Amino acid sequence: MNRKEILFFAAICLSCLLSAQLYPQNLAVSSIPENISKGANSVIRNYHKTISFPDDDKMTENVSLSLTILNEKSLEEAHLIIPFNKGEKVTVKKAEIYNAAGVRTKSIKDSDMIERSAVNNASLYNDNRVIYCRIIPISYPFTIVYEYEISYNRLYTFEFFSPYISDLQGVERSALTLDNSSGIPVKVSKLNLPEDAPVTIRGTSVTWDFSNLEPLVSEPYEPHFEDYVPTIIISPEVIQYNKYKGKCDTWANFGSWISQLSAGRTSLNSTTVARLQEMTSGASSDREKASILYKYLQSRTHYINISLGIGGLQPHHATEVDELGYGDCKDLSNYMVAMLKAVGIESYYTLVKAGYGRYNFQPDQPGHQFNHAIVCIPQPHDTIWLECTSQTIPFGYLGDFTDNRPVLLIKNNTGILAHTPEYRMNENHSSSLIRIDYSDEGTAAACSFRYSGLLMDEPVTVASQNNADQLLWLNCELEINDFTVIDHKFEVSENTTHSVSLKANLALHSFFTGKNERLFASLNLNNQIGAPKRMRTRLRPLYLPVPYSGCDTLLINLPAGFIPEQLPESQLSSAQFGNYTMQTSLIDHTIQCIRRFEFFGGTFPATDYAAFYDFMQKVSVADAKQLVLIRQ
């Protein structure tokens, strides 16, 4: 090959190389398979996370992501957001934007990124920080490419990996690599993985690959995403965090490590101990003593998150919390344990994964599956659970933030798995009595409501708010057209059976509709029952998380000269899903309508959704019946 031919060949190679850089074939939107992009708001082109344990006290996380944003609905996914803590090293290796043809249009510089504190409104101070860059697209679709590395100077993690980042998202390729060159024991759980998902092992590393995944489409009443989305969970069986070393190969050992963090931090000074003992001296039982101390905790402390370094896991000394009057969940729970100890009551600092709804817990994979702390007081007949961050909820009430889930009790320097109480249908109950009085001066409603179990979660919070916020809630909550609240009053029950009562007097401005010879009125002014979305094809199981029951009574004093055209009645029953009845009667010129609904809850096969829809549709139709009045 002569010199001219060599230069010509080199020019062609350079042109191809530049073309590949300017027009990366794999990032062109046109190259996305239709089955991946159809119905999607975004598509993962390539997502590769590598978790490395190079030493027995360090961890490194490398992330490489190419993500195509198809429309504005998924723009939030495009922004660069890297959360980390002080002391951790973050290196952003690449941040680029490509247009629909796969042409690189921008390289994001370090100066375009903002590093700032991630302290929220509930935090006084913590180590949380974030590197952030907001993406403002010129047009859609476009693709972002990020590569970054986070180096951790500790070994304390419970890593969840899913090939998806969000729903309505297709996946060309996602992969997780575990590189364990240190040889420490690591536990791996694999959930919902396809049978044909490739696994590659090279030396000390193993890689799980996922490809050609169609978009996740949300379905009503679906299980938690970890119940159906491919998920890999990684956790080392050793812990190294600052000077605290331990193991999490068993729950007992993990609890032992947690107990190290609070060792020597549950004592109170003699003055405080004497005060607590005097406060509870007249109590006739441990339950009464605990109730007195819980109300004392609520009256003089408030929640503020404080977490620097290991302080994100370690409670502050109970004496500090006693003096300052604030702390986060671990501080206040540890303080409550210390107060109970001062009056001779045994209790356990307890770890829980808080959040609304059920979540996937791995009992055979000990480790940090928790984000919250509460207190457990064992009793001969009825264990008491205390949420120590709320200043409003009743003694012994948890609510759906921590109910019905596994917890870890820290007892005698070890860990023991337990389970918080489940609120059942008869406990999750609401009832109402509404009396409608019609006169020439206007229509008035005297209302009485009662909520218990999980149904009191929101009302018990509203009960402690100011009058303006309560009125705002009432106007949104009551399913009555065009009314004015004359007066109202909340009352929270202090009995063992927790409940919230509400009494309200209303002025109704358009209760009766129609005119002349016929008037119409709704028989449902509270807890209207709607039908779910109709689905011809159901993919996932039907999950009905909260069983509940309700009884609503409506009394209508009829306008003079009118009688009911008919008295609506309904009765519907399903052995799987619940029961519904509506009974209407005329008693001394007063219409009485009693509606009862029982909703069973549970998990059912996807094929049962059609029967569930049919039952709820019939209930919704029955529940929408109106009262028709005709002039005599």
Side-chain angles (χ1 to χ4, degrees):
M1 185 182 292
N2 59 36
R3 175 181 173 84
K4 185 175 181 181
E5 290 173 327
I6 292 174
L7 290 175
F8 179 74
F9 180 75
I12 292 175
C13 291
L14 178 61
S15 174
C16 293
L17 178 62
L18 290 174
S19 176
Q21 290 178 335
L22 293 174
Y23 298 90
Q25 187 109 22
N26 63 334
L27 293 185
V29 175
S30 59
S31 69
I32 301 175
E34 184 180 358
N35 69 308
I36 292 176
S37 61
K38 186 177 180 180
N41 293 326
S42 63
V43 174
I44 292 177
R45 317 300 299 279
N46 186 60
Y47 174 35
H48 194 170
K49 177 181 281 192
T50 300
I51 303 296
S52 303
F53 300 120
D55 208 338
D56 61 1
D57 62 352
K58 293 180 176 63
M59 186 184 92
T60 302
E61 177 181 342
N62 280 275
V63 175
S64 175
L65 173 66
S66 301
L67 176 66
T68 295
I69 306 299
L70 297 175
N71 54 56
E72 65 277 2
K73 294 178 182 178
S74 60
L75 178 59
E76 291 298 316
E77 300 168 24
H79 306 320
L80 176 63
I81 303 174
I82 307 175
F84 66 102
N85 290 340
K86 285 181 180 179
E88 299 167 356
K89 182 182 178 182
V90 179
T91 304
V92 180
K93 302 176 181 179
K94 181 186 289 187
E96 299 174 336
I97 302 176
Y98 294 77
N99 67 11
V103 178
R104 186 176 63 193
T105 58
K106 183 177 181 179
S107 292
I108 300 172
K109 303 175 182 178
D110 290 345
S111 57
D112 297 323
M113 304 177 196
I114 300 172
E115 180 183 334
R116 66 188 185 194
S117 171
V119 175
N120 57 35
N121 293 334
S123 297
L124 182 61
Y125 50 83
N126 62 40
D127 274 345
N128 298 340
R129 299 192 65 76
V130 65
I131 291 175
Y132 179 78
C133 180
R134 184 175 182 83
I135 303 301
I136 302 176
I138 298 173
S139 61
Y140 293 93
F142 68 94
T143 300
I144 55 97
V145 176
Y146 295 135
E147 292 182 13
Y148 61 86
E149 177 183 278
I150 307 176
S151 298
Y152 302 87
N153 56 1
R154 55 181 168 82
L155 195 63
Y156 182 81
T157 186
F158 203 88
E159 182 72 30
F160 285 81
F161 174 84
S162 168
Y164 293 94
I165 295 175
S166 72
D167 59 359
L168 295 178
Q169 179 180 75
V171 175
E172 278 197 79
R173 179 181 183 262
S174 283
L176 171 68
T177 295
L178 168 61
D179 186 359
N180 185 17
S181 58
S182 69
I184 61 173
V186 176
K187 185 158 288 191
V188 179
S189 293
K190 300 177 284 290
L191 311 176
N192 314 308
L193 266 61
E195 293 183 1
D196 57 350
V199 179
T200 304
I201 300 176
R202 290 191 179 93
T204 61
S205 71
V206 56
T207 299
W208 293 269
D209 265 291
F210 305 88
S211 60
N212 198 35
L213 302 181
E214 296 183 358
L216 292 176
V217 179
S218 295
E219 296 180 332
Y221 299 102
E222 64 184 359
H224 191 276
F225 74 97
E226 289 172 9
D227 287 335
Y228 60 86
V229 172
T231 304
I232 298 174
I233 307 172
I234 295 174
S235 61
E237 294 185 1
V238 294
I239 303 173
Q240 172 68 56
Y241 203 134
N242 292 1
K243 64 180 181 179
Y244 298 95
K245 297 181 180 181
K247 293 183 178 181
C248 55
D249 53 338
T250 65
W251 287 112
N253 284 338
F254 180 66
S256 178
W257 185 82
I258 292 292
S259 69
Q260 289 184 52
L261 304 183
S262 58
R265 292 171 178 255
T266 56
S267 60
L268 295 166
N269 62 53
S270 58
T271 302
T272 299
V273 170
R275 181 171 65 250
L276 298 176
Q277 291 176 347
E278 182 181 357
M279 286 169 50
T280 58
S281 61
S284 59
S285 65
D286 283 353
R287 184 180 187 90
E288 187 179 352
K289 287 182 180 180
S291 177
I292 292 170
L293 294 183
Y294 184 69
K295 292 175 184 177
Y296 177 71
L297 173 81
Q298 290 182 306
S299 67
R300 70 179 308 272
T301 63
H302 56 280
Y303 176 87
I304 293 180
N305 182 33
I306 307 168
S307 55
L308 296 176
I310 192 70
L313 301 169
Q314 184 177 53
H316 287 80
H317 200 291
T319 301
E320 292 182 41
V321 181
D322 184 56
E323 292 173 352
L324 297 174
Y326 60 76
D328 57 19
C329 64
K330 59 186 182 296
D331 300 324
L332 297 174
S333 294
N334 184 67
Y335 177 47
M336 188 71 207
V337 169
M339 289 197 296
L340 291 165
K341 179 182 176 182
V343 299
I345 299 177
E346 182 182 27
S347 64
Y348 310 135
Y349 181 84
T350 302
L351 298 179
V352 60
K353 174 70 176 291
Y356 298 104
R358 190 172 66 87
Y359 76 103
N360 194 307
F361 182 81
Q362 299 302 307
D364 60 346
Q365 191 160 1
H368 191 55
Q369 300 189 49
F370 312 103
N371 62 1
H372 191 52
I374 57 178
V375 172
C376 172
I377 307 175
Q379 294 285 282
H381 304 294
D382 185 18
T383 299
I384 301 169
W385 301 87
L386 299 180
E387 168 57 67
C388 298
T389 61
S390 173
Q391 295 173 293
T392 60
I393 68 173
F395 171 76
Y397 177 75
L398 286 182
D400 63 1
F401 194 55
T402 52
D403 79 304
N404 192 25
R405 66 198 69 200
V407 294
L408 187 68
L409 309 180
I410 308 304
K411 176 185 178 183
N412 298 331
N413 299 323
T414 190
I416 301 173
L417 281 182
H419 204 277
T420 55
E422 178 183 4
Y423 292 89
R424 303 184 185 277
M425 185 182 69
N426 61 330
E427 297 169 297
N428 301 326
H429 183 75
S430 70
S431 61
S432 68
L433 173 61
I434 301 176
R435 179 182 293 275
I436 307 294
D437 288 312
Y438 175 84
S439 69
D440 293 338
E441 289 74 29
T443 305
C447 308
S448 177
F449 305 93
R450 185 179 180 274
Y451 312 88
S452 64
L454 297 181
L455 301 186
M456 65 177 274
D457 249 22
E458 190 175 355
V460 77
T461 300
V462 176
S464 66
Q465 294 175 344
N466 60 44
N467 188 69
D469 288 339
Q470 290 180 354
L471 287 174
L472 182 63
W473 182 81
L474 279 168
N475 279 280
C476 294
E477 179 71 11
L478 298 183
E479 298 161 341
I480 304 174
N481 291 327
D482 199 10
F483 68 91
T484 301
V485 179
I486 306 301
D487 56 57
H488 71 280
K489 182 181 180 181
F490 283 92
E491 184 175 337
V492 180
S493 169
E494 297 293 337
N495 298 325
T496 303
T497 303
H498 304 112
S499 65
V500 177
S501 298
L502 166 63
K503 294 186 182 298
N505 291 302
L506 315 176
L508 306 185
H509 307 300
S510 56
F511 177 74
F512 292 106
T513 59
K515 55 183 179 180
N516 299 330
E517 305 302 315
R518 297 173 70 85
L519 296 178
F520 303 89
S522 175
L523 289 172
N524 186 344
L525 304 183
N526 189 52
N527 297 326
Q528 295 179 11
I529 301 169
K533 178 183 177 182
R534 186 173 186 178
M535 300 185 68
R536 297 189 182 278
T537 303
R538 174 84 180 192
L539 300 176
R540 302 184 195 110
L542 171 65
Y543 175 50
L544 309 176
V546 180
Y548 64 90
S549 62
C551 179
D552 299 296
T553 301
L554 177 65
L555 303 175
I556 304 175
N557 179 24
L558 296 182
F562 283 88
I563 59 172
E565 184 177 53
Q566 60 179 359
L567 297 174
E569 290 199 1
S570 297
Q571 183 170 343
L572 299 163
S573 182
S574 166
Q576 292 174 291
F577 307 118
N579 300 302
Y580 173 89
T581 61
M582 173 190 282
Q583 296 176 319
T584 311
S585 58
L586 177 62
I587 305 173
D588 295 333
H589 209 63
T590 296
I591 293 290
Q592 175 182 273
C593 178
I594 301 176
R595 298 164 48 249
R596 290 186 173 90
F597 185 49
E598 294 179 332
F599 188 75
F600 294 157
T603 301
F604 307 90
T607 51
D608 285 352
Y609 187 83
F612 172 68
Y613 171 82
D614 183 63
F615 171 68
M616 294 300 293
Q617 177 69 20
K618 291 177 180 177
V619 170
S620 179
V621 170
D623 209 44
K625 289 182 178 179
Q626 285 193 316
L627 175 68
V628 181
L629 303 179
I630 57 176
R631 189 180 295 277
Q632 285 181 301

